[in-house]
Amino acid sequence: MADSVLDAEDQDLLRASADFGHIVGSRPLGVLTARSVGAVQGLVAFAGPRGIAVTARGGGQAVYGQGQADGGYVVDMTGLDEVRCVPEDRLLVAGAGALWSDVVRASLAAGLAPPVVPDHLGASVGGVLSTGGFGGSSHRFGLVADWVRELEVVTGTGERLVCSQQEHPDLFRAVPAGLGQCALVVRATLQLLPAPARVRRYRLHHRTPGTFFTDQRRLARDARFSHVAGQARPAPGGDWHYIIEAVAPHNGQLPPEDGLFIGDLDHDPDTEEIEDLSYAEYLHRLDRDERLLRASGEWQRPHPWLTLLLPEEAATSFVPSVLSEDAQQALRVCGSVQLRPLTGSTLHTPLLRRPAGERLCLLSLMRTAPPDRPDVVRQLVAANRALHTRARAVGGVLYPGGALPMTPADWRTHFGPDWDELVRAKALYDTHRILTRGYGLWP
Ligand SMILES: Cc1cc2nc3c(=O)[nH]c(=O)nc-3n(C[C@H](O)[C@H](O)[C@H](O)COP(=O)(O)OP(=O)(O)OC[C@H]3O[C@@H](n4cnc5c(N)ncnc54)[C@H](O)[C@@H]3O)c2cc1C
């Protein structure tokens, strides 16, 4: 471990005791700033037989302590951030602590890009893979995790293994979207595709949820756009209006013919916004929002977020009804509501839970709570719990990682038929159950 540092300094412990959610905080015993895979292995091998918790930390974007280790060790992965593009194979090899901004920079330099890139580029490769990862192109290309070709991991028993569909396939099934339960990822090999030089971005305002969902469904199906996302925004009089954000790639010389792309849609043509950007500018589209939120202090406030996957036919009534509830009115003042289409047949990651059917809607309630009001935060977390129950009643499922207390019994229900396989993998690869306890999967 000579190249890595095991810290018990107050500032490191404090940093590892918090996350983007600013809701729960658990103090670790120490923080390992990993500079080599051997160091991660050494720590896990030490902690396992002693039953001491170990959790990886990448970008720190978890919202409910999923990246914390109460009384255990946090492994800061950000030192394992080497990124190498292999253009001839259209692959990128990234250390698990590399951020998505590193991945984008290295792949675009070779004229390539991952098929799915998360909206915000501040999370780590390992952190996003641990939940699955979605982005603007998920309606066509599924999850970030669907494009992982190989993983190098340190299991909970301290073994360093490489897994893929050919090598240790059981481990390769258990790690992507596996909530860090069986292994810590140290390196990932991701598939890349040719990147467009430029994109034309359309923002299309819809006055009713009906026209929004009909248009979003059409765009998800006919693949005319490379990226399709959406939002609900507060409108005067207590209403909400809905915006589709759709992106068409082009090579710079021949911009898209707007009429062909949006002429048949049911948005309000007087308010449409059309903008040309380089693909890099588009992928970095949230950088400015982050700077503004940091400057206003909102970035540091509690974030009781919740993300659900809904069958699309249920979303059309579920979403407007949720947004009209008293419990969600704070979203009108501070936060954002994201709505994006997903396509069942593009989702292949075994441990991702999803509703049955082909047309799905991912609903993210990205709330910001006032500072110093733990009572409000508690109410919002309780509202998340109630919403999760209601979503399940219409065939929806949780996208893990939100501010939602879950018991082991809840997780068992969540994973359904795949629970037994996860239990078997856990017993084999994390025998002492030391990894990533923040999710609360086990008693
Ligand atoms: C502003 C913002 C925008 C977001 N947008 C998107 C989006 O568009 N798409 C999307 O999919 N998600 C999005 N997220 C969610 C975010 O990507 C996930 O919460 C992700 O898990 C955070 O990764 P991190 O590196 O920040 O992880 P951390 O907070 O450091 O950890 C998150 C979880 O991942 C585990 N983990 C981290 N590294 C590893 C590793 N190497 N091996 C095993 N487990 C590991 C941690 O233990 C923890 O359980 C967004 C979050 C924020 C705050």
Side-chain angles (χ1 to χ4, degrees):
M1 270 206 255
D3 53 347
S4 304
V5 185
L6 186 56
D7 275 311
E9 297 292 326
D10 242 22
Q11 65 192 46
D12 300 299
L13 299 186
L14 271 180
R15 202 172 143 265
S17 311
D19 54 33
F20 179 77
H22 295 291
I23 299 171
V24 299
S26 5
R27 200 174 162 85
L29 201 60
V31 178
L32 176 77
T33 305
R35 303 257 173 245
S36 70
V37 177
V40 181
Q41 231 185 326
L43 182 77
V44 174
F46 170 82
R50 293 166 179 80
I52 303 174
V54 176
T55 303
R57 179 185 168 100
Q61 287 193 350
V63 297
Y64 207 60
Q66 292 94 343
Q68 298 174 22
D70 195 9
Y73 294 109
V74 168
V75 183
D76 180 341
M77 290 285 183
T78 54
L80 299 179
D81 62 348
E82 200 188 325
V83 175
R84 187 167 50 87
C85 192
V86 192
E88 57 280 17
D89 298 329
R90 289 190 179 170
L91 292 175
L92 180 126
V93 184
L99 302 183
W100 283 89
S101 50
D102 302 321
V103 170
V104 161
R105 185 179 21 79
S107 53
L108 287 186
L112 300 166
V116 185
V117 177
D119 295 350
H120 186 263
L121 303 180
S124 70
V125 168
V128 169
L129 291 178
S130 74
T131 49
F134 53 85
S137 56
S138 283
H139 69 297
R140 285 177 77 173
F141 294 125
L143 297 185
V144 173
D146 289 319
W147 296 86
V148 175
R149 296 297 171 247
E150 187 182 277
L151 292 169
E152 184 176 346
V153 303
V154 171
T155 68
T157 52
E159 258 189 302
R160 180 177 182 170
L161 294 174
V162 171
C163 61
S164 64
Q165 274 180 357
Q166 291 75 37
E167 237 177 314
H168 302 292
D170 59 330
L171 186 58
F172 194 62
R173 284 175 63 84
V175 176
L179 313 181
Q181 293 307 306
C182 294
L184 305 184
V185 177
V186 292
R187 182 178 53 78
T189 303
L190 307 172
Q191 184 74 58
L192 302 175
L193 293 177
R198 296 189 67 74
V199 296
R200 177 160 287 189
R201 174 166 69 174
Y202 299 89
R203 281 219 188 89
L204 309 171
H205 296 248
H206 290 68
R207 289 186 209 283
T208 69
T211 60
F212 168 84
F213 279 110
T214 304
D215 279 353
Q216 215 183 43
R217 184 182 317 129
R218 182 183 300 172
L219 299 182
R221 208 170 29 215
D222 69 13
R224 74 181 87 169
F225 289 113
S226 58
H227 297 68
V228 180
Q231 288 180 38
R233 289 223 190 122
D239 267 352
W240 291 82
H241 74 246
Y242 293 79
I243 303 170
I244 290 179
E245 179 171 302
V247 163
H250 65 95
N251 61 14
Q253 269 115 46
L254 209 59
E257 176 110 15
D258 296 331
L260 290 178
F261 277 85
I262 59 172
D264 59 342
L265 301 179
D266 219 352
H267 62 287
D268 173 4
D270 293 337
T271 55
E272 66 196 21
E273 299 167 56
I274 303 175
E275 189 181 17
D276 279 326
L277 304 163
S278 72
Y279 192 45
E281 286 169 332
Y282 171 70
L283 293 178
H284 281 276
R285 64 196 178 282
L286 294 187
D287 290 7
R288 185 170 171 274
D289 293 355
E290 177 181 340
R291 282 196 297 277
L292 292 173
L293 292 171
R294 282 187 188 277
S296 71
E298 279 178 50
W299 194 263
Q300 285 78 25
R301 289 193 198 156
H303 296 107
W305 289 10
L306 180 71
T307 298
L308 299 166
L309 271 160
L310 302 164
E312 201 246 10
E313 64 274 15
T316 55
S317 55
F318 186 85
V319 172
S321 131
V322 165
L323 294 181
S324 68
E325 282 171 7
D326 285 350
Q328 306 304 335
Q329 294 318 300
L331 272 166
R332 302 182 70 82
V333 186
C334 218
S336 144
V337 180
Q338 303 284 327
L339 289 161
R340 71 183 75 224
L342 296 182
T343 309
S345 55
T346 65
L347 302 169
H348 304 294
T349 300
L351 286 183
L352 175 83
R353 307 313 306 153
R354 65 175 184 87
E358 184 65 350
R359 307 258 67 97
L360 311 176
C361 171
L362 190 119
L363 165 67
S364 296
L365 300 177
M366 302 158 93
R367 310 184 182 93
T368 306
D372 308 319
R373 288 293 306 272
D375 54 325
V376 174
V377 174
R378 268 196 301 277
Q379 282 164 18
L380 291 170
V381 172
N384 283 350
R385 178 92 202 166
L387 212 54
H388 177 226
T389 306
R390 271 179 62 193
R392 286 185 45 210
V394 298
V397 298
L398 175 73
Y399 180 82
L404 182 71
M406 294 273 284
T407 64
D410 292 331
W411 283 115
R412 189 189 187 110
T413 308
H414 171 82
F415 281 105
D418 290 321
W419 176 251
D420 289 344
E421 189 177 341
L422 185 60
V423 170
R424 271 196 300 278
K426 183 82 175 169
L428 190 61
Y429 293 111
D430 182 20
T431 316
H432 307 290
R433 294 189 174 178
I434 58 166
L435 295 184
T436 324
R437 289 184 181 160
Y439 277 100
L441 259 80
W442 317 100

